[in-house]
Amino acid sequence: VTYLQKFGDYPFKSSWNVSEVHRNHGKMITQESQLKPLFLVGWVDAIKDFVCEMDPKPAVFIFNQGWWTNNDLVEVTLQNDILDALRACDIISIYRMTNKGRDETDRNVEEYESQLCNAAD
């Protein structure tokens, strides 16, 4: 299992090269100043240049946008580009819909998430 985070339309960040991500990195990082991001890329480049290059490569990629106000997954072109990038390296895609908050009334999130969930593998 590999866990990666990307927040809204902010870039994906990694402080390790893809060839080193599974290695022991020594002491746990406890301060932000210890982080030295090597990757600062969007969804598609994170998949092509990082996820697809991992060894072992994940068989399944589960992703979710969450409740970020700067949500870039509302763009249908980006949705398709993400799914195409995963398929190009033989990774199964699963989109996990965001849990709706009790007071949440935004139907746009529900609409694009249903669309993306149906388009994923």
Side-chain angles (χ1 to χ4, degrees), residues 10-110:
Y10 297 112
F12 164 75
K13 298 178 186 180
S14 176
S15 296
W16 298 287
N17 286 318
V18 68
S19 61
E20 300 171 342
V21 74
H22 291 296
R23 293 186 188 157
N24 183 343
H25 299 288
K27 292 182 180 181
M28 186 169 77
I29 293 173
T30 58
Q31 297 177 8
E32 186 177 355
S33 63
Q34 295 172 289
L35 296 171
K36 306 290 186 242
L38 301 174
F39 274 86
L40 290 166
V41 294
W43 278 105
V44 175
D45 288 334
I47 292 166
K48 288 180 178 178
D49 299 335
F50 197 87
V51 176
C52 292
E53 299 298 321
M54 294 176 79
D55 186 20
K57 181 175 71 174
V60 178
F61 186 84
I62 302 170
F63 62 115
N64 166 268
Q65 181 65 36
W67 290 109
W68 289 87
T69 55
N70 56 334
N71 179 349
D72 55 357
L73 286 182
V74 296
E75 300 172 27
V76 176
T77 302
L78 178 59
Q79 293 176 19
N80 292 329
D81 290 346
I82 290 169
L83 298 176
D84 289 345
L86 291 166
R87 289 179 183 126
C89 61
D90 297 320
I91 296 177
I92 296 168
S93 63
I94 297 175
Y95 185 79
R96 164 68 167 89
M97 293 181 71
T98 304
N99 291 337
K100 189 172 185 176
R102 187 178 355 178
D103 299 325
E104 184 56 49
T105 59
D106 186 354
R107 302 254 331 134
N108 291 335
V109 172
E110 185 178 338

